[in-house]
Amino acid sequence: MTSSVRPLLNRRLAEFGTTVFAEMSALALSTGSINLGQGFPDTDGPEEIREAAVRALRDGRGNQYPPGPGVPELRTAIAAHQKRHYGLSYDPDTEVLVTAGATEAIAASLLALLEPGDEVIALEPYYDSYAASIAMAGGTRVPVTLRPDPAGDAGDGHRRFRLDLDELRDAVTGRTRLLLINTPHNPTGTVLTRAELTEIARIAVERDLLVVTDEVYEHLVFDDAEHVPLASLPGMRERTVTIGSAGKTFSFTGWKVGWVTAPPALVGAVRSAKQFLTYVASGPFQYAVAEALALPDAYFEDFRADMLRKRDVLAAGLTEAGFAVFRPRGTYFITTDIRPLGESDGFAFCRSLPERAGVVAIPNAVFYDHREAGAPFVRFAFCKKDEVLHEAAQRLHRLSS
Ligand SMILES: Cc1ncc(COP(=O)(O)O)c(C=O)c1O
């Protein structure tokens, strides 16, 4: 053993020892609670795509190391997807990279593009791997906080979170290397508007910043929201690494198939880091995801309609139970404010919720550097069977009775 004085986990990762997801999932098991904490669907994606994976396995496609950048069928399908949905052209040979989920795409991008000490501006609250990946790359995270907008942003009476573009502009310094953007945004359900993204693009161009944009929920936008890829805005294609995930779009989170689209120099840089993380992953699944990306529009429309219905079931249940609900315009998460229930500490609330109501949720504070800014917010996932959501809604009612 090494000296007992020196901690085993290095300083860069010291703050990331354990995640609240593990604690909450264990609580869900030990109390028999409905787990609306972690964001994975409880129904698999399309049967034909599952069968495509079985076929690939049986036919011996992808059982040995696939090519480093991903199998050509999948790279071609990713390029075709970007063209079909957004009119963006990428060369499958030089501008597409398949990764072990979006998580590896994020880690590889940051490990490749940051020098120690570089600042990364990320929208807070943020997906938890961002902070850890920035830390592993030796970067410094600079959060710009999305804050509740009491007026609602669409004049429809629904409270939403809002990005303060002046705050974003002011956060840029001479040490800023890149903007790490996430839209649709986990956990708040915010979908950045074209006007907001245009302003972000302007800042990136003016200050000559790279942009890594996590768009894994690109197909989960509701109401009148529109997903606008940052790379589609003027001056952005050449400086933007766009990240997608089959886990989110096709409900196969365990397959861990993600991807990066970017110009050749950026893809080359990200690939340099990626090849020493996993080198390659998910061989047979890559062939199946290639087929999934080519599914007709009806698949994407039905997927969205299905999730919209689920959102409305859970949002209604949460509202009836007394939460203030931030109705999400994207993703499969609902952020709530627990203050109308007479509570203010999301951690304590989430630890007691299984006992009180038989439901598990996640305290948003874990997604913040400014923990106090996230203290009263709690996130629920609605990518669950309708009957599970109805049962959860009924159980949550106990909070107000
Ligand atoms: C915003 C965001 N990015 C990335 C990921 C990870 O995606 P993957 O499972 O493809 O690694 C998630 C998963 O929850 C997410 O919410």
Side-chain angles (χ1 to χ4, degrees), residues 234-270:
M236 293 308 284
R237 190 189 183 286
E238 61 262 39
R239 65 181 66 248
T240 301
V241 174
T242 303
I243 293 172
S245 169
K248 303 301 172 183
T249 296
F250 302 109
S251 301
F252 288 115
T253 56
W255 291 8
K256 293 301 283 188
V257 177
W259 53 84
V260 159
T261 48
L266 279 170
V267 160
V270 177

Coordinates of all heavy atoms in Angstrom, one line a residue, residues 234-270:
P234 N -24.5 30.7 -38.7 CA -23.4 31.2 -39.4 C -22.1 31.2 -38.6 O -22.1 31.6 -37.4 CB -23.8 32.7 -39.7 CG -25.3 32.6 -39.6 CD -25.7 31.5 -38.7
G235 N -21.0 30.8 -39.2 CA -19.7 30.8 -38.6 C -19.4 29.7 -37.6 O -18.4 29.6 -37.0
M236 N -20.4 28.8 -37.5 CA -20.3 27.8 -36.4 C -19.8 26.4 -36.9 O -19.2 25.7 -36.1 CB -21.7 27.6 -35.7 CG -22.1 28.9 -34.9 SD -20.8 29.4 -33.8 CE -21.0 28.2 -32.5
R237 N -20.1 26.0 -38.1 CA -19.8 24.7 -38.5 C -18.3 24.4 -38.3 O -17.9 23.4 -37.8 CB -20.1 24.5 -40.0 CG -20.0 23.0 -40.4 CD -20.1 22.9 -41.9 NE -20.1 21.5 -42.3 CZ -19.0 20.7 -42.4 NH1 -17.8 21.2 -42.0 NH2 -19.1 19.5 -42.8
E238 N -17.5 25.4 -38.6 CA -16.0 25.2 -38.5 C -15.4 25.1 -37.1 O -14.3 24.7 -36.9 CB -15.2 26.2 -39.4 CG -15.4 27.6 -38.9 CD -16.5 28.4 -39.7 OE1 -17.5 27.8 -40.1 OE2 -16.3 29.6 -40.0
R239 N -16.2 25.6 -36.1 CA -15.7 25.6 -34.8 C -16.5 24.7 -33.8 O -16.2 24.8 -32.6 CB -15.7 27.0 -34.2 CG -17.0 27.7 -34.1 CD -17.0 29.1 -33.6 NE -16.3 30.0 -34.5 CZ -15.2 30.6 -34.4 NH1 -14.5 30.4 -33.3 NH2 -14.7 31.4 -35.3
T240 N -17.4 23.9 -34.3 CA -18.3 23.2 -33.5 C -18.2 21.7 -33.5 O -18.1 21.1 -34.6 CB -19.8 23.6 -33.8 OG1 -19.9 25.0 -33.7 CG2 -20.8 22.9 -32.9
V241 N -18.1 21.1 -32.4 CA -18.2 19.6 -32.2 C -19.6 19.3 -31.7 O -20.0 19.7 -30.7 CB -17.2 19.1 -31.2 CG1 -17.3 17.6 -30.9 CG2 -15.7 19.4 -31.6
T242 N -20.4 18.6 -32.6 CA -21.7 18.2 -32.2 C -21.8 16.8 -31.8 O -21.2 15.9 -32.4 CB -22.7 18.4 -33.4 OG1 -22.5 19.8 -33.9 CG2 -24.1 18.2 -33.1
I243 N -22.5 16.6 -30.7 CA -22.6 15.2 -30.1 C -24.0 14.7 -30.1 O -24.9 15.4 -29.7 CB -22.0 15.3 -28.6 CG1 -20.5 15.6 -28.7 CG2 -22.3 14.0 -27.9 CD1 -19.9 15.9 -27.3
G244 N -24.1 13.4 -30.5 CA -25.4 12.8 -30.5 C -25.3 11.4 -29.8 O -24.2 10.9 -29.5
S245 N -26.5 10.8 -29.6 CA -26.5 9.5 -28.9 C -27.7 8.6 -29.3 O -28.8 9.1 -29.3 CB -26.6 9.7 -27.4 OG -26.8 8.5 -26.7
A246 N -27.4 7.4 -29.7 CA -28.5 6.4 -30.0 C -29.2 6.0 -28.7 O -30.4 5.7 -28.8 CB -27.9 5.2 -30.7
G247 N -28.5 6.1 -27.6 CA -29.2 5.7 -26.3 C -30.4 6.6 -26.1 O -31.5 6.0 -25.8
K248 N -30.3 7.8 -26.4 CA -31.5 8.8 -26.1 C -32.5 8.7 -27.2 O -33.7 8.7 -27.0 CB -30.9 10.2 -26.0 CG -29.9 10.4 -24.9 CD -30.4 10.0 -23.6 CE -29.3 10.0 -22.6 NZ -29.7 9.5 -21.2
T249 N -32.0 8.7 -28.5 CA -33.0 8.8 -29.6 C -33.7 7.5 -29.9 O -34.8 7.5 -30.4 CB -32.2 9.3 -30.9 OG1 -31.7 10.6 -30.6 CG2 -33.1 9.3 -32.1
F250 N -33.0 6.3 -29.6 CA -33.7 5.0 -29.9 C -33.9 4.2 -28.7 O -34.3 3.0 -28.8 CB -32.8 4.3 -30.9 CG -32.6 5.1 -32.2 CD1 -31.4 5.7 -32.5 CD2 -33.6 5.4 -33.1 CE1 -31.2 6.5 -33.6 CE2 -33.5 6.1 -34.2 CZ -32.2 6.7 -34.5
S251 N -33.8 4.7 -27.5 CA -34.0 4.0 -26.3 C -33.3 2.7 -26.1 O -33.8 1.6 -25.8 CB -35.6 3.7 -26.1 OG -36.3 4.9 -26.1
F252 N -32.0 2.8 -26.4 CA -31.0 1.7 -26.1 C -29.8 2.3 -25.4 O -28.7 2.3 -25.9 CB -30.6 1.0 -27.4 CG -31.7 0.2 -28.2 CD1 -32.1 0.6 -29.4 CD2 -32.2 -0.9 -27.6 CE1 -33.1 -0.1 -30.0 CE2 -33.2 -1.6 -28.2 CZ -33.7 -1.3 -29.4
T253 N -30.1 2.7 -24.2 CA -29.0 3.4 -23.4 C -27.9 2.4 -23.1 O -26.7 2.9 -23.0 CB -29.5 4.0 -22.1 OG1 -30.2 3.0 -21.3 CG2 -30.5 5.1 -22.4
G254 N -28.1 1.1 -23.0 CA -27.1 0.2 -22.7 C -26.1 -0.1 -23.8 O -25.1 -0.7 -23.6
W255 N -26.5 0.2 -25.0 CA -25.6 0.0 -26.2 C -24.4 0.9 -26.2 O -23.4 0.6 -26.8 CB -26.4 0.1 -27.5 CG -27.4 -1.0 -27.7 CD1 -27.8 -2.0 -26.8 CD2 -28.2 -1.3 -28.9 NE1 -28.8 -2.8 -27.3 CE2 -29.0 -2.4 -28.6 CE3 -28.3 -0.7 -30.1 CZ2 -29.9 -2.9 -29.5 CZ3 -29.2 -1.2 -31.1 CH2 -30.0 -2.3 -30.8
K256 N -24.6 2.1 -25.6 CA -23.5 3.1 -25.6 C -23.0 3.3 -27.0 O -21.8 3.2 -27.3 CB -22.4 2.6 -24.7 CG -22.8 2.6 -23.2 CD -23.3 3.9 -22.6 CE -22.1 4.8 -22.4 NZ -22.6 6.1 -21.6
V257 N -23.8 3.8 -27.9 CA -23.4 4.2 -29.2 C -23.7 5.7 -29.3 O -24.8 6.2 -29.2 CB -24.1 3.5 -30.3 CG1 -23.6 4.1 -31.7 CG2 -23.8 2.0 -30.3
G258 N -22.6 6.5 -29.4 CA -22.7 7.9 -29.6 C -21.9 8.4 -30.8 O -21.3 7.5 -31.4
W259 N -21.9 9.7 -31.0 CA -21.1 10.1 -32.2 C -20.8 11.6 -32.1 O -21.4 12.4 -31.3 CB -21.8 9.8 -33.5 CG -23.2 10.4 -33.6 CD1 -23.6 11.6 -33.9 CD2 -24.4 9.6 -33.3 NE1 -25.0 11.7 -33.9 CE2 -25.5 10.5 -33.5 CE3 -24.6 8.3 -32.9 CZ2 -26.8 10.0 -33.4 CZ3 -26.0 7.8 -32.8 CH2 -27.0 8.7 -33.0
V260 N -19.8 12.0 -32.9 CA -19.4 13.3 -33.0 C -19.4 13.7 -34.5 O -19.0 12.9 -35.3 CB -17.9 13.4 -32.5 CG1 -17.2 14.6 -33.1 CG2 -17.8 13.4 -31.0
T261 N -19.9 14.9 -34.8 CA -19.8 15.4 -36.2 C -19.1 16.8 -36.0 O -19.4 17.6 -35.2 CB -21.1 15.6 -36.9 OG1 -22.1 16.2 -36.0 CG2 -21.7 14.2 -37.3
A262 N -18.1 17.0 -36.9 CA -17.3 18.2 -36.8 C -16.4 18.2 -38.1 O -16.2 17.2 -38.7 CB -16.4 18.2 -35.5
P263 N -15.8 19.3 -38.3 CA -14.8 19.4 -39.4 C -13.6 18.5 -39.2 O -13.4 18.1 -38.0 CB -14.3 20.8 -39.5 CG -15.3 21.6 -38.6 CD -15.9 20.6 -37.7
P264 N -12.9 18.1 -40.3 CA -11.9 17.1 -40.2 C -10.8 17.3 -39.0 O -10.5 16.4 -38.3 CB -11.2 17.1 -41.5 CG -12.2 17.6 -42.4 CD -13.1 18.6 -41.7
A265 N -10.4 18.6 -38.9 CA -9.3 18.8 -37.9 C -9.9 18.6 -36.5 O -9.1 18.0 -35.6 CB -8.8 20.3 -38.0
L266 N -11.1 19.0 -36.2 CA -11.7 18.7 -34.9 C -11.9 17.3 -34.7 O -11.6 16.7 -33.6 CB -13.0 19.5 -34.7 CG -12.8 21.0 -34.4 CD1 -14.1 21.8 -34.5 CD2 -12.2 21.2 -33.0
V267 N -12.5 16.6 -35.7 CA -12.7 15.1 -35.5 C -11.4 14.4 -35.3 O -11.3 13.5 -34.4 CB -13.5 14.6 -36.7 CG1 -13.3 13.0 -36.8 CG2 -15.0 14.9 -36.7
G268 N -10.4 14.8 -36.0 CA -9.0 14.2 -35.9 C -8.5 14.4 -34.4 O -8.0 13.5 -33.8
A269 N -8.7 15.6 -33.9 CA -8.2 15.8 -32.5 C -9.0 15.0 -31.5 O -8.4 14.3 -30.7 CB -8.4 17.3 -32.2
V270 N -10.3 14.9 -31.7 CA -11.1 14.2 -30.7 C -10.8 12.7 -30.8 O -10.7 11.9 -29.8 CB -12.7 14.4 -31.0 CG1 -13.5 13.5 -30.0 CG2 -13.0 15.9 -30.8

